[in-house]
Amino acid sequence: MRRFILLALLLLASAAIFVACSDEEPEPTATPAPAPIQASGGGLPDDLLAVANARGLTPQDIRAALKTYVPSGKMDEYYLFSSGGQSGNVVVIGVPSMRILKNIAVFTPEAWQGYGYGEVGTEAVLDAGNVDDVKIRMGDTHHPALSETAGEYDGQFLFINDKASARVAVIDLRDFETKQIVKDPNLISNHGSSFVPPNTEYVIQTSQYATPLGWEYAPISEYKEKYRGLITMFKFDREKGRIDMDKSFSIEIPPYWQDLCDAGKLVSEGWAFCNSFNSEMATGGIESGNPPFEAGVSQRDTDYLHIFNWKKAAEVAEQPGKTEVINGIRVIRIPTAVEEGILYLAPEPKSPHGVDVTPDGKYLTVAGKLDPHVTIYAFDKIMQAIEAKNWTTDEFGIPVLDFDAVMLTQVELGLGPLHTQYDDKGNAYTSLFLDSAVAKWSLGGDDPAGYKLLEKLPVQYNIGHISAAEGDTVSPDGQYLVALNKWAVDRFLPVGPLKPQNEQLLDISGDTMSVLYDMPMGIGEPHYAQMIKADKIKAWEVYPQVGWDPLTQAPSEFAVKPGEERIERDGNNVTIYMTSVRSHLTPEHVTLKQGDNVTWHITNIETAPDATHGFDIGGQNISLSIEPGETATFQFVAQNSGTYAYYCTEFCSALHLEMMGYMMVAPEEAN
Amino acid sequence: MSSELEKIVGPRIPADELKAHRMRYIIPTLLFVAAAVLLIISIQRPWWRLKLNAPQYPAGLYVTAYVNRMTGDVAEIDGLNHYIGMRPLAEAAVLEQSISVFGIVALAMLILAAAFVHNKWAALLTLPALLLPIFFLADLQFWLANFGLNLDPNAALSSSVDPFIPPVLWRGEIAQFSTVPRLLSGFWLSLWASGLILVGLYFHRRAYKPLVEASQHKSGSSEA
């Protein structure tokens, strides 16, 4: 008996110790190595099989590799133009290889491209985006928009917005360089931008955070009275490749914090649609005990889909007395917009995110964000409701169409639906942020029962926008879809706390979706991207003629021919006309006096593709990229005397190191 | 010892009886002491852990409950919970957490006291410790339900997430999260303590019931 008790106690004690030791979570078990792939008749050759097995690849991995690998010397099928977020840039990526092809500097100086480091053309582009007298050298690029003709990407221009300061930039896709930045004179932040109508008559921008027009001072207590949003229609002159501010105009809208937008196409061409998420007109103030914005803007069950007739607005803007010029731009005020039938609202489940028009232009998909549904609106129902005046009005007197009259159906997809793209088989794809998944669902035309969730594919992780091949045009290609995931978490080798984003390539060509490739995006935080068939881009190999000014896309008056290099002095003003060619800069000696105002033109007289020369002078914060045929100019004051080396920064030839010269600045007292 | 006191704490063991059957009386005492020790150890041990799985948290999120505190990814979980309008975890079971250490020490003292009480009242003294594991689970489930059912209707995701009760012992689902609870050593120690108390009470009854009956018989005959 005694022994039995002692034994029992011992057992109890050891059991207690055992459970005490097992509080730690078990180490995550490594993914078991896949079973070796066995050769089958007609399968992989033995040596390839050995590689696959040595690397632990599954048949699915091999399939993905075969679908994405672009062999040396071969080209990708698509270009993906991705915003770089607060990097202020646009990143160009080849699909399906997901290789980065170029990082186009837009709102932020970038030394490799010689953008914003002294070159006068690029400095002028950047300075046009200054706000009041503040030099702005950052941008928060969000939504690229490729120029369109008849609702198809035409591959000529790319537009991109800067959310931070309400600016829009124009990139010319002949040389992939930024040509223009325009600043909205009345807005300080945008979001529903950039987007274009099917023939790119305008580049459209809508406000995000409402402020008094022209960001004048007004206390937050005057929010309803003074704070406003705007739709700005930047007139695009395709011939010049520029936005024409004189022909641009804005439409005043309520301070509802407009979100994403899309332009109608085909039947709905002439109209455009924007979501909003603060119809509550919440003004925050968490520090004073008020509901924070995140709660305040989420109170009402519905916000407003903004529906506007931009074609009508363009006509009205030309009529006398219908607009008010505010800070140099014509603005159609809300009462005029209502009176002229330009602006309507329709309820939408609260705080949605994307609104995306179907390829046939007949339906709009509004993604719920806080609501697990997408809501489908029918354009013809919207038109009927407008015709029948089936509306109430909001407190600004804007017609609010009856929800049930304009809504066709709702499809429950999952948690956090954000953005929708389309394929060539009548399907739609919606990103689900909270679920970290892409939902594939069918479009049903006028039949509400035809709208059905088909499949959900997990992606890694926290997906934002998606971009399907030409997925927002009148004829999407299907085939590929890129998930722009906000978090990578554990997908890549660790590189410190700031992790790359994960751009994931999905195969959507078959009945079921699959992930093909994880691409780390370590140079920016993309929002939206657009994917265009590669053969639509007609990029120049070299500039059309030697002595080209990329800013005007015309021959430069400062071009220098070989043999005509010179230094001209006019008092303190010195102008240098230089050429660069493998492997010398002419002249190689530049003698200046301290205090000289120097204007320095360099023409790269090369005509061979890729024979780019860079240019840098030590101690001057100058960086140029002079591509074959280009004439570049920089200016500076020689404020310090000394001897400086200038050289070609782009490794151009075997004698690249010899491609240099001396700039000698004589001190003032020696003059 | 006065007979009044013996009415409460039971009869004392006659010296010759103790000498004759020492083990009989030591066993219940040993078991009670062991139970008390296990309970004291449990204060320092984690009792319960909830793992939250979601796609964007491939390693999961954890919150670990001790009797007097919660540790783990509390800040991150609170941050997520605010989207559905759940109160911060620090507001849960404040009273329980604040008195838990003192309370468990008190329960252990009561068990030890039971070793000196040689009648049925010993069972009453050990009862709180005996029921502690059940109380812990019931209280935890109460707070989980209290938190899951009282969501701020003004929260951003209130239209996507209905009030819910996270289960204390089995897997639950909420939004994109699955919740996987796990009982840890603190709880198991308290359960073992309860087991030892039960066994101890059996041996206690076996040892002292004859003494109690003998003393009742004696006092009964003396009154007669």
Side-chain angles (χ1 to χ4, degrees), chain A residues 2 5 12 19-20 22-23 25 294 299 370 372 415 433-436 461-462 490, chain B residues 23 45-46 49 55-56 58 62 82 154 156 159-160 175-176 182 184-185 192 196 203:
Chain A
R2 202 176 292 181
I5 298 289
L12 278 173
V19 296
S22 66
D23 289 338
E25 290 302 317
E294 62 171 330
Q299 292 312 297
L370 302 183
L415 293 168
F433 181 82
L434 298 177
D435 278 346
S436 277
Y461 306 92
N462 283 357
D490 60 355
Chain B
M23 273 321 284
R45 307 298 314 180
R49 181 174 292 150
Q56 48 276 85
Y62 294 94
H82 102 280
N154 295 329
S159 60
S160 284
Q176 79 270 34
R182 186 171 159 220
L184 300 182
S185 61
W192 281 117
L196 291 176
F203 285 110

mmCIF file of all heavy atoms in Angstrom, chain A residues 2 5 12 19-20 22-23 25 294 299 370 372 415 433-436 461-462 490, chain B residues 23 45-46 49 55-56 58 62 82 154 156 159-160 175-176 182 184-185 192 196 203:
data_model
loop_
_atom_site.group_PDB
_atom_site.id
_atom_site.type_symbol
_atom_site.label_atom_id
_atom_site.label_comp_id
_atom_site.label_asym_id
_atom_site.label_seq_id
_atom_site.Cartn_x
_atom_site.Cartn_y
_atom_site.Cartn_z
ATOM 1 N N ARG A 2 1.826 1.229 0.918
ATOM 2 C CA ARG A 2 2.703 2.387 1.053
ATOM 3 C C ARG A 2 3.443 2.647 -0.267
ATOM 4 O O ARG A 2 3.532 3.754 -0.749
ATOM 5 C CB ARG A 2 3.722 2.101 2.160
ATOM 6 C CG ARG A 2 4.306 3.333 2.752
ATOM 7 C CD ARG A 2 5.219 2.980 3.890
ATOM 8 N NE ARG A 2 4.495 2.436 5.022
ATOM 9 C CZ ARG A 2 5.107 2.062 6.161
ATOM 10 N NH1 ARG A 2 6.412 2.153 6.273
ATOM 11 N NH2 ARG A 2 4.417 1.576 7.152
ATOM 12 N N ILE A 5 1.209 4.160 -2.908
ATOM 13 C CA ILE A 5 0.976 5.602 -2.727
ATOM 14 C C ILE A 5 2.185 6.393 -3.213
ATOM 15 O O ILE A 5 2.061 7.364 -3.965
ATOM 16 C CB ILE A 5 0.731 5.927 -1.242
ATOM 17 C CG1 ILE A 5 -0.513 5.215 -0.741
ATOM 18 C CG2 ILE A 5 0.607 7.441 -1.038
ATOM 19 C CD1 ILE A 5 -1.806 5.739 -1.268
ATOM 20 N N LEU A 12 2.464 11.428 -10.286
ATOM 21 C CA LEU A 12 1.790 12.727 -10.342
ATOM 22 C C LEU A 12 2.813 13.837 -10.513
ATOM 23 O O LEU A 12 2.651 14.738 -11.343
ATOM 24 C CB LEU A 12 1.003 12.968 -9.060
ATOM 25 C CG LEU A 12 -0.370 12.304 -9.008
ATOM 26 C CD1 LEU A 12 -0.962 12.479 -7.616
ATOM 27 C CD2 LEU A 12 -1.286 12.898 -10.060
ATOM 28 N N VAL A 19 3.789 18.473 -17.897
ATOM 29 C CA VAL A 19 2.909 19.491 -18.475
ATOM 30 C C VAL A 19 3.526 20.875 -18.302
ATOM 31 O O VAL A 19 3.367 21.749 -19.136
ATOM 32 C CB VAL A 19 1.474 19.474 -17.901
ATOM 33 C CG1 VAL A 19 0.779 18.190 -18.244
ATOM 34 C CG2 VAL A 19 1.447 19.759 -16.430
ATOM 35 N N ALA A 20 4.263 21.048 -17.211
ATOM 36 C CA ALA A 20 4.873 22.352 -16.984
ATOM 37 C C ALA A 20 5.870 22.687 -18.082
ATOM 38 O O ALA A 20 6.078 23.844 -18.422
ATOM 39 C CB ALA A 20 5.565 22.384 -15.629
ATOM 40 N N SER A 22 5.636 21.841 -21.206
ATOM 41 C CA SER A 22 5.103 21.813 -22.560
ATOM 42 C C SER A 22 4.311 23.071 -22.909
ATOM 43 O O SER A 22 3.499 23.053 -23.805
ATOM 44 C CB SER A 22 4.217 20.589 -22.740
ATOM 45 O OG SER A 22 3.085 20.735 -21.900
ATOM 46 N N ASP A 23 4.559 24.173 -22.153
ATOM 47 C CA ASP A 23 3.828 25.406 -22.462
ATOM 48 C C ASP A 23 4.289 26.061 -23.746
ATOM 49 O O ASP A 23 3.569 26.820 -24.363
ATOM 50 C CB ASP A 23 3.975 26.415 -21.319
ATOM 51 C CG ASP A 23 3.188 25.968 -20.103
ATOM 52 O OD1 ASP A 23 2.257 25.165 -20.288
ATOM 53 O OD2 ASP A 23 3.514 26.407 -18.999
ATOM 54 N N GLU A 25 5.096 26.771 -27.507
ATOM 55 C CA GLU A 25 4.475 26.312 -28.743
ATOM 56 C C GLU A 25 5.464 25.431 -29.469
ATOM 57 O O GLU A 25 6.663 25.707 -29.487
ATOM 58 C CB GLU A 25 4.104 27.500 -29.628
ATOM 59 C CG GLU A 25 2.962 28.312 -29.078
ATOM 60 C CD GLU A 25 1.704 27.496 -28.863
ATOM 61 O OE1 GLU A 25 1.363 26.685 -29.744
ATOM 62 O OE2 GLU A 25 1.058 27.665 -27.814
ATOM 63 N N GLU A 294 -11.546 57.128 -38.201
ATOM 64 C CA GLU A 294 -11.831 55.757 -38.642
ATOM 65 C C GLU A 294 -13.189 55.271 -38.158
ATOM 66 O O GLU A 294 -13.814 54.442 -38.799
ATOM 67 C CB GLU A 294 -10.724 54.798 -38.190
ATOM 68 C CG GLU A 294 -10.581 54.708 -36.700
ATOM 69 C CD GLU A 294 -9.635 53.581 -36.281
ATOM 70 O OE1 GLU A 294 -9.555 52.585 -36.997
ATOM 71 O OE2 GLU A 294 -8.996 53.720 -35.234
ATOM 72 N N GLN A 299 -19.991 55.543 -39.764
ATOM 73 C CA GLN A 299 -21.230 55.459 -38.993
ATOM 74 C C GLN A 299 -22.451 55.104 -39.826
ATOM 75 O O GLN A 299 -23.231 54.234 -39.475
ATOM 76 C CB GLN A 299 -21.482 56.795 -38.264
ATOM 77 C CG GLN A 299 -20.480 57.068 -37.170
ATOM 78 C CD GLN A 299 -20.294 55.864 -36.269
ATOM 79 O OE1 GLN A 299 -21.238 55.432 -35.609
ATOM 80 N NE2 GLN A 299 -19.109 55.296 -36.266
ATOM 81 N N LEU A 370 -15.709 47.431 -46.154
ATOM 82 C CA LEU A 370 -16.193 47.059 -44.818
ATOM 83 C C LEU A 370 -17.378 46.104 -44.908
ATOM 84 O O LEU A 370 -17.879 45.636 -43.905
ATOM 85 C CB LEU A 370 -16.601 48.308 -44.046
ATOM 86 C CG LEU A 370 -15.511 49.363 -43.875
ATOM 87 C CD1 LEU A 370 -16.022 50.518 -43.032
ATOM 88 C CD2 LEU A 370 -14.269 48.759 -43.241
ATOM 89 N N PRO A 372 -18.953 42.643 -46.908
ATOM 90 C CA PRO A 372 -18.391 41.490 -47.642
ATOM 91 C C PRO A 372 -18.913 41.318 -49.069
ATOM 92 O O PRO A 372 -18.614 40.318 -49.700
ATOM 93 C CB PRO A 372 -18.778 40.300 -46.759
ATOM 94 C CG PRO A 372 -19.938 40.754 -45.959
ATOM 95 C CD PRO A 372 -19.831 42.239 -45.800
ATOM 96 N N LEU A 415 -14.226 38.814 -46.961
ATOM 97 C CA LEU A 415 -13.953 39.987 -46.140
ATOM 98 C C LEU A 415 -12.982 40.953 -46.800
ATOM 99 O O LEU A 415 -11.915 40.556 -47.251
ATOM 100 C CB LEU A 415 -13.396 39.538 -44.788
ATOM 101 C CG LEU A 415 -14.418 38.791 -43.932
ATOM 102 C CD1 LEU A 415 -13.726 38.131 -42.748
ATOM 103 C CD2 LEU A 415 -15.514 39.717 -43.453
ATOM 104 N N PHE A 433 -9.010 42.051 -49.061
ATOM 105 C CA PHE A 433 -7.899 42.452 -48.199
ATOM 106 C C PHE A 433 -7.814 41.606 -46.929
ATOM 107 O O PHE A 433 -6.769 41.034 -46.617
ATOM 108 C CB PHE A 433 -8.047 43.931 -47.835
ATOM 109 C CG PHE A 433 -6.944 44.452 -46.955
ATOM 110 C CD1 PHE A 433 -5.741 44.850 -47.514
ATOM 111 C CD2 PHE A 433 -7.095 44.544 -45.584
ATOM 112 C CE1 PHE A 433 -4.711 45.327 -46.715
ATOM 113 C CE2 PHE A 433 -6.074 45.020 -44.782
ATOM 114 C CZ PHE A 433 -4.883 45.408 -45.345
ATOM 115 N N LEU A 434 -8.919 41.512 -46.192
ATOM 116 C CA LEU A 434 -8.867 40.817 -44.902
ATOM 117 C C LEU A 434 -8.673 39.319 -45.088
ATOM 118 O O LEU A 434 -7.957 38.670 -44.330
ATOM 119 C CB LEU A 434 -10.134 41.087 -44.086
ATOM 120 C CG LEU A 434 -10.368 42.554 -43.722
ATOM 121 C CD1 LEU A 434 -11.699 42.716 -42.982
ATOM 122 C CD2 LEU A 434 -9.239 43.084 -42.863
ATOM 123 N N ASP A 435 -9.315 38.781 -46.112
ATOM 124 C CA ASP A 435 -9.152 37.350 -46.391
ATOM 125 C C ASP A 435 -7.808 37.045 -47.044
ATOM 126 O O ASP A 435 -7.446 35.884 -47.186
ATOM 127 C CB ASP A 435 -10.261 36.864 -47.327
ATOM 128 C CG ASP A 435 -11.553 36.558 -46.581
ATOM 129 O OD1 ASP A 435 -11.497 36.479 -45.334
ATOM 130 O OD2 ASP A 435 -12.599 36.388 -47.222
ATOM 131 N N SER A 436 -7.082 38.071 -47.496
ATOM 132 C CA SER A 436 -5.853 37.875 -48.271
ATOM 133 C C SER A 436 -6.104 36.865 -49.400
ATOM 134 O O SER A 436 -5.497 35.801 -49.453
ATOM 135 C CB SER A 436 -4.707 37.367 -47.381
ATOM 136 O OG SER A 436 -4.097 38.446 -46.721
ATOM 137 N N TYR A 461 0.582 38.732 -48.756
ATOM 138 C CA TYR A 461 -0.564 38.791 -47.865
ATOM 139 C C TYR A 461 -1.165 40.186 -47.952
ATOM 140 O O TYR A 461 -0.499 41.109 -48.390
ATOM 141 C CB TYR A 461 -0.154 38.570 -46.397
ATOM 142 C CG TYR A 461 0.629 37.299 -46.144
ATOM 143 C CD1 TYR A 461 2.016 37.315 -46.187
ATOM 144 C CD2 TYR A 461 -0.031 36.088 -45.902
ATOM 145 C CE1 TYR A 461 2.743 36.153 -45.960
ATOM 146 C CE2 TYR A 461 0.704 34.922 -45.665
ATOM 147 C CZ TYR A 461 2.089 34.963 -45.711
ATOM 148 O OH TYR A 461 2.809 33.831 -45.497
ATOM 149 N N ASN A 462 -2.355 40.384 -47.451
ATOM 150 C CA ASN A 462 -2.993 41.704 -47.415
ATOM 151 C C ASN A 462 -3.011 42.374 -48.787
ATOM 152 O O ASN A 462 -2.415 43.423 -49.012
ATOM 153 C CB ASN A 462 -2.303 42.628 -46.394
ATOM 154 C CG ASN A 462 -2.684 42.298 -44.970
ATOM 155 O OD1 ASN A 462 -3.509 41.407 -44.744
ATOM 156 N ND2 ASN A 462 -2.106 42.986 -44.016
ATOM 157 N N ASP A 490 6.746 36.708 -44.534
ATOM 158 C CA ASP A 490 7.758 35.640 -44.486
ATOM 159 C C ASP A 490 8.128 35.125 -45.867
ATOM 160 O O ASP A 490 8.652 34.039 -45.999
ATOM 161 C CB ASP A 490 7.229 34.482 -43.631
ATOM 162 C CG ASP A 490 5.936 33.912 -44.198
ATOM 163 O OD1 ASP A 490 5.411 34.481 -45.183
ATOM 164 O OD2 ASP A 490 5.442 32.908 -43.663
ATOM 165 N N MET B 23 1.068 5.735 8.873
ATOM 166 C CA MET B 23 0.820 6.006 7.450
ATOM 167 C C MET B 23 -0.610 6.421 7.184
ATOM 168 O O MET B 23 -0.886 7.278 6.341
ATOM 169 C CB MET B 23 1.157 4.772 6.616
ATOM 170 C CG MET B 23 2.603 4.676 6.185
ATOM 171 S SD MET B 23 3.352 6.243 5.721
ATOM 172 C CE MET B 23 2.639 6.475 4.112
ATOM 173 N N ARG B 45 2.765 29.792 -13.477
ATOM 174 C CA ARG B 45 2.687 29.129 -14.772
ATOM 175 C C ARG B 45 1.567 29.729 -15.630
ATOM 176 O O ARG B 45 0.557 30.191 -15.100
ATOM 177 C CB ARG B 45 2.388 27.629 -14.594
ATOM 178 C CG ARG B 45 3.323 26.891 -13.660
ATOM 179 C CD ARG B 45 4.750 26.866 -14.100
ATOM 180 N NE ARG B 45 4.903 26.526 -15.505
ATOM 181 C CZ ARG B 45 6.063 26.435 -16.127
ATOM 182 N NH1 ARG B 45 7.193 26.669 -15.464
ATOM 183 N NH2 ARG B 45 6.109 26.148 -17.400
ATOM 184 N N PRO B 46 1.723 29.692 -16.957
ATOM 185 C CA PRO B 46 0.613 30.085 -17.835
ATOM 186 C C PRO B 46 -0.512 29.053 -17.762
ATOM 187 O O PRO B 46 -0.254 27.863 -17.633
ATOM 188 C CB PRO B 46 1.248 30.100 -19.222
ATOM 189 C CG PRO B 46 2.425 29.194 -19.129
ATOM 190 C CD PRO B 46 2.921 29.266 -17.709
ATOM 191 N N ARG B 49 -3.870 29.510 -23.421
ATOM 192 C CA ARG B 49 -3.338 30.303 -24.519
ATOM 193 C C ARG B 49 -4.291 30.221 -25.696
ATOM 194 O O ARG B 49 -4.860 29.169 -25.996
ATOM 195 C CB ARG B 49 -1.959 29.774 -24.935
ATOM 196 C CG ARG B 49 -1.321 30.565 -26.061
ATOM 197 C CD ARG B 49 0.086 30.095 -26.339
ATOM 198 N NE ARG B 49 0.982 30.417 -25.238
ATOM 199 C CZ ARG B 49 2.045 29.695 -24.909
ATOM 200 N NH1 ARG B 49 2.327 28.598 -25.574
ATOM 201 N NH2 ARG B 49 2.804 30.054 -23.905
ATOM 202 N N PRO B 55 -4.616 34.675 -42.563
ATOM 203 C CA PRO B 55 -3.693 34.596 -43.695
ATOM 204 C C PRO B 55 -2.502 35.527 -43.541
ATOM 205 O O PRO B 55 -1.375 35.146 -43.848
ATOM 206 C CB PRO B 55 -4.564 35.026 -44.889
ATOM 207 C CG PRO B 55 -5.961 34.801 -44.467
ATOM 208 C CD PRO B 55 -5.992 34.947 -42.978
ATOM 209 N N GLN B 56 -2.747 36.750 -43.062
ATOM 210 C CA GLN B 56 -1.648 37.716 -43.021
ATOM 211 C C GLN B 56 -0.755 37.556 -41.798
ATOM 212 O O GLN B 56 0.176 38.328 -41.621
ATOM 213 C CB GLN B 56 -2.168 39.156 -43.141
ATOM 214 C CG GLN B 56 -3.330 39.554 -42.269
ATOM 215 C CD GLN B 56 -4.668 39.174 -42.852
ATOM 216 O OE1 GLN B 56 -5.097 38.060 -42.664
ATOM 217 N NE2 GLN B 56 -5.314 40.069 -43.560
ATOM 218 N N PRO B 58 1.126 34.514 -40.834
ATOM 219 C CA PRO B 58 1.471 33.107 -41.055
ATOM 220 C C PRO B 58 2.031 32.427 -39.814
ATOM 221 O O PRO B 58 1.889 31.220 -39.670
ATOM 222 C CB PRO B 58 2.504 33.166 -42.177
ATOM 223 C CG PRO B 58 2.935 34.581 -42.275
ATOM 224 C CD PRO B 58 1.821 35.413 -41.752
ATOM 225 N N TYR B 62 -0.562 35.185 -30.583
ATOM 226 C CA TYR B 62 -0.816 34.448 -29.351
ATOM 227 C C TYR B 62 -1.181 35.403 -28.226
ATOM 228 O O TYR B 62 -0.614 36.493 -28.121
ATOM 229 C CB TYR B 62 0.441 33.693 -28.914
ATOM 230 C CG TYR B 62 0.842 32.588 -29.861
ATOM 231 C CD1 TYR B 62 1.772 32.815 -30.867
ATOM 232 C CD2 TYR B 62 0.280 31.311 -29.742
ATOM 233 C CE1 TYR B 62 2.135 31.807 -31.742
ATOM 234 C CE2 TYR B 62 0.645 30.296 -30.609
ATOM 235 C CZ TYR B 62 1.577 30.545 -31.606
ATOM 236 O OH TYR B 62 1.925 29.535 -32.456
ATOM 237 N N HIS B 82 -10.015 46.478 -32.415
ATOM 238 C CA HIS B 82 -10.693 47.773 -32.456
ATOM 239 C C HIS B 82 -11.481 47.963 -33.746
ATOM 240 O O HIS B 82 -12.433 48.708 -33.782
ATOM 241 C CB HIS B 82 -9.706 48.918 -32.184
ATOM 242 C CG HIS B 82 -9.261 49.667 -33.402
ATOM 243 N ND1 HIS B 82 -8.286 49.201 -34.236
ATOM 244 C CD2 HIS B 82 -9.664 50.852 -33.915
ATOM 245 C CE1 HIS B 82 -8.114 50.072 -35.230
ATOM 246 N NE2 HIS B 82 -8.919 51.087 -35.054
ATOM 247 N N ASN B 154 -20.560 51.055 -33.448
ATOM 248 C CA ASN B 154 -20.024 52.106 -34.316
ATOM 249 C C ASN B 154 -18.681 51.735 -34.939
ATOM 250 O O ASN B 154 -18.076 52.537 -35.636
ATOM 251 C CB ASN B 154 -19.856 53.411 -33.532
ATOM 252 C CG ASN B 154 -21.197 53.949 -33.088
ATOM 253 O OD1 ASN B 154 -22.197 53.756 -33.761
ATOM 254 N ND2 ASN B 154 -21.221 54.603 -31.941
ATOM 255 N N ALA B 156 -15.772 50.163 -37.297
ATOM 256 C CA ALA B 156 -15.703 50.193 -38.762
ATOM 257 C C ALA B 156 -16.271 48.923 -39.396
ATOM 258 O O ALA B 156 -16.999 48.978 -40.369
ATOM 259 C CB ALA B 156 -14.261 50.408 -39.199
ATOM 260 N N SER B 159 -20.519 46.094 -39.786
ATOM 261 C CA SER B 159 -21.471 45.523 -40.740
ATOM 262 C C SER B 159 -20.996 44.172 -41.272
ATOM 263 O O SER B 159 -21.760 43.434 -41.854
ATOM 264 C CB SER B 159 -21.706 46.488 -41.904
ATOM 265 O OG SER B 159 -20.485 46.744 -42.572
ATOM 266 N N SER B 160 -19.721 43.861 -41.080
ATOM 267 C CA SER B 160 -19.199 42.580 -41.569
ATOM 268 C C SER B 160 -19.111 41.519 -40.475
ATOM 269 O O SER B 160 -19.091 40.342 -40.757
ATOM 270 C CB SER B 160 -17.788 42.764 -42.152
ATOM 271 O OG SER B 160 -17.847 43.368 -43.409
ATOM 272 N N ALA B 175 -14.349 36.389 -38.474
ATOM 273 C CA ALA B 175 -13.827 37.091 -39.649
ATOM 274 C C ALA B 175 -12.806 36.190 -40.337
ATOM 275 O O ALA B 175 -13.067 35.004 -40.522
ATOM 276 C CB ALA B 175 -13.247 38.443 -39.272
ATOM 277 N N GLN B 176 -11.631 36.718 -40.653
ATOM 278 C CA GLN B 176 -10.651 35.868 -41.333
ATOM 279 C C GLN B 176 -9.789 35.092 -40.354
ATOM 280 O O GLN B 176 -8.845 34.424 -40.759
ATOM 281 C CB GLN B 176 -9.782 36.688 -42.294
ATOM 282 C CG GLN B 176 -8.651 37.476 -41.644
ATOM 283 C CD GLN B 176 -9.052 38.882 -41.235
ATOM 284 O OE1 GLN B 176 -10.184 39.116 -40.847
ATOM 285 N NE2 GLN B 176 -8.116 39.811 -41.311
ATOM 286 N N ARG B 182 -5.715 26.573 -26.025
ATOM 287 C CA ARG B 182 -4.925 25.458 -25.501
ATOM 288 C C ARG B 182 -4.754 25.677 -24.008
ATOM 289 O O ARG B 182 -4.426 26.781 -23.568
ATOM 290 C CB ARG B 182 -3.573 25.454 -26.198
ATOM 291 C CG ARG B 182 -2.721 24.277 -25.845
ATOM 292 C CD ARG B 182 -1.494 24.225 -26.731
ATOM 293 N NE ARG B 182 -0.504 23.412 -26.043
ATOM 294 C CZ ARG B 182 0.784 23.665 -26.002
ATOM 295 N NH1 ARG B 182 1.269 24.722 -26.627
ATOM 296 N NH2 ARG B 182 1.608 22.890 -25.354
ATOM 297 N N LEU B 184 -2.818 25.211 -20.526
ATOM 298 C CA LEU B 184 -1.389 25.102 -20.246
ATOM 299 C C LEU B 184 -1.140 24.617 -18.821
ATOM 300 O O LEU B 184 -2.070 24.354 -18.055
ATOM 301 C CB LEU B 184 -0.710 26.442 -20.486
ATOM 302 C CG LEU B 184 -0.839 26.967 -21.928
ATOM 303 C CD1 LEU B 184 -0.087 28.272 -22.073
ATOM 304 C CD2 LEU B 184 -0.354 25.951 -22.945
ATOM 305 N N SER B 185 0.126 24.558 -18.462
ATOM 306 C CA SER B 185 0.534 23.854 -17.244
ATOM 307 C C SER B 185 -0.128 24.393 -15.987
ATOM 308 O O SER B 185 -0.448 23.629 -15.083
ATOM 309 C CB SER B 185 2.047 23.919 -17.099
ATOM 310 O OG SER B 185 2.451 25.267 -16.990
ATOM 311 N N TRP B 192 -4.529 18.757 -11.374
ATOM 312 C CA TRP B 192 -3.864 17.729 -10.579
ATOM 313 C C TRP B 192 -4.102 17.983 -9.094
ATOM 314 O O TRP B 192 -4.353 17.040 -8.332
ATOM 315 C CB TRP B 192 -2.363 17.707 -10.847
ATOM 316 C CG TRP B 192 -1.997 17.007 -12.129
ATOM 317 C CD1 TRP B 192 -1.398 17.556 -13.202
ATOM 318 C CD2 TRP B 192 -2.235 15.633 -12.436
ATOM 319 N NE1 TRP B 192 -1.252 16.621 -14.195
ATOM 320 C CE2 TRP B 192 -1.745 15.423 -13.754
ATOM 321 C CE3 TRP B 192 -2.812 14.557 -11.747
ATOM 322 C CZ2 TRP B 192 -1.818 14.188 -14.383
ATOM 323 C CZ3 TRP B 192 -2.878 13.329 -12.390
ATOM 324 C CH2 TRP B 192 -2.387 13.149 -13.692
ATOM 325 N N LEU B 196 -5.554 15.437 -6.433
ATOM 326 C CA LEU B 196 -4.900 15.066 -5.176
ATOM 327 C C LEU B 196 -5.820 15.326 -3.990
ATOM 328 O O LEU B 196 -5.856 14.550 -3.034
ATOM 329 C CB LEU B 196 -3.601 15.859 -5.013
ATOM 330 C CG LEU B 196 -2.475 15.488 -5.984
ATOM 331 C CD1 LEU B 196 -1.291 16.418 -5.784
ATOM 332 C CD2 LEU B 196 -2.060 14.037 -5.805
ATOM 333 N N PHE B 203 -8.693 9.341 1.605
ATOM 334 C CA PHE B 203 -7.857 8.799 2.690
ATOM 335 C C PHE B 203 -8.134 9.495 4.012
ATOM 336 O O PHE B 203 -8.034 8.893 5.081
ATOM 337 C CB PHE B 203 -6.371 8.923 2.316
ATOM 338 C CG PHE B 203 -5.959 7.895 1.281
ATOM 339 C CD1 PHE B 203 -5.644 8.263 -0.007
ATOM 340 C CD2 PHE B 203 -5.903 6.539 1.629
ATOM 341 C CE1 PHE B 203 -5.278 7.317 -0.945
ATOM 342 C CE2 PHE B 203 -5.524 5.585 0.686
ATOM 343 C CZ PHE B 203 -5.216 5.973 -0.608
#
